[in-house]
Amino acid sequence: MQILVRCPKCNAGLPIGASDSSAQIACGACGREIPLDVSEEIRADRAVDRCPQCAGADFYIRKDFDPKLGVAVVAAAAIISGGCFFYGRDAIAYGVLASAVVLDLVIYRFLGTVTVCYRCHSEFRGRYPRTASGFDLHTADVLEQEYERRIGRR
Ligand SMILES: [Zn+2]
Ligand SMILES: [Zn+2]
């Protein structure tokens, strides 16, 4: 399992491998030492049961979508179809735009999912079975506030 630990101080994402993680990492951006408590389940890629960073046990699932990829597909299509419009090839231009939309949908459809910690927003990627449910705004509000009070951000 791969974990993207969120630094509680500067919010930088710090990628670590769950199986070879140490008890503490230093944030590459701000230098803060972040103690980690990686559970057996996470180490073995069996389940995400307890967040190694904040010890929370509340997670949600979201699509592992990189917005940069979606933007790149659309931007490339816009450039190509722009050229086609310029040379009067309207049918091809529309075709390119339509396939970009379809391609985005296909990418989205086959994306994996990532488990995210409600409190500190650390992310978990691996082959473990997903048991968390989708994002719930109310839960997020409550847990984020609790966490931010605890680390003194509010
Ligand atoms: Zn940091
Ligand atoms: Zn957490």
Side-chain angles (χ1 to χ4, degrees), residues 7 9-12 27 29-32:
C7 172
K9 189 175 170 199
C10 71
N11 220 27
C27 173
C30 72
R32 181 189 169 119

Side-chain angles (χ1 to χ4, degrees), residues 111-134:
L111 284 173
T113 53
V114 55
T115 301
V116 186
C117 173
Y118 267 116
R119 289 177 175 83
C120 69
H121 302 150
S122 292
E123 297 170 5
F124 305 85
R125 293 176 173 83
R127 290 209 303 275
Y128 62 92
R130 307 300 195 258
T131 46
S133 44

